[in-house]
Amino acid sequence: QVQLVESGGGLVQPGGSLRLSCAGSGFTFSRYVMSWYRQAPGKERELVANIGGAGTSTNYLDSVKGRFTISRDNAKNMMYLQMNSLKPEDTAVYSCRAYLFPMEYWGQGTQVTVSS
């Protein structure tokens, strides 16, 4: 069965850092575009970052550029999101997504809370 499992979320103070992880199984991980999305209470889900199958092509939401870094390790079927200089507006449930037309898989999400 296909699985995507996020981990690494938690409570952090403004200016702090977290690293999120997404573990994939049950599919050919290296062929899929991987993404991090987030959804805050009362708001629509938004794309945070994308990374291509080989890990050489990335793009970011403007508000996280220079603070967040997406990466992947295909040998371990893992994707990561390093989040630095966190702000209260980064508070959301963060979910990973795997995409290769016509397949699309989603994880359950992990909570990130940035607060004093």
Side-chain angles (χ1 to χ4, degrees):
Q1 68 281 12
V2 171
Q3 281 193 296
L4 290 172
V5 181
E6 301 95 338
S7 61
L11 175 64
V12 65
Q13 293 184 338
S17 297
L18 285 173
R19 189 179 78 155
L20 305 183
S21 298
C22 174
S25 61
F27 65 102
T28 306
F29 189 88
S30 63
R31 294 184 180 178
Y32 284 69
V33 173
M34 300 294 297
S35 305
W36 286 102
Y37 284 77
R38 68 186 183 187
Q39 187 168 28
K43 297 184 178 180
E44 293 190 358
R45 185 172 59 193
E46 63 182 350
L47 175 66
V48 177
N50 278 334
I51 185 165
T56 55
S57 179
T58 60
N59 61 274
Y60 297 89
L61 182 67
D62 283 345
S63 62
V64 309
K65 287 180 179 177
R67 300 189 297 121
F68 291 11
T69 303
I70 189 171
S71 62
R72 66 193 294 166
D73 185 343
N74 288 335
K76 297 180 178 179
N77 288 357
M78 295 288 291
M79 178 180 65
Y80 307 97
L81 186 68
Q82 179 65 47
M83 305 186 294
N84 299 326
S85 302
L86 282 161
K87 304 174 180 179
E89 51 262 46
D90 296 318
T91 296
V93 174
Y94 285 71
S95 301
C96 65
R97 179 219 192 207
Y99 175 75
L100 177 66
F101 182 84
M103 291 80 71
E104 182 184 59
Y105 307 123
W106 288 89
Q108 289 291 315
T110 186
Q111 177 71 48
V112 172
T113 302
V114 184
S115 177
S116 299

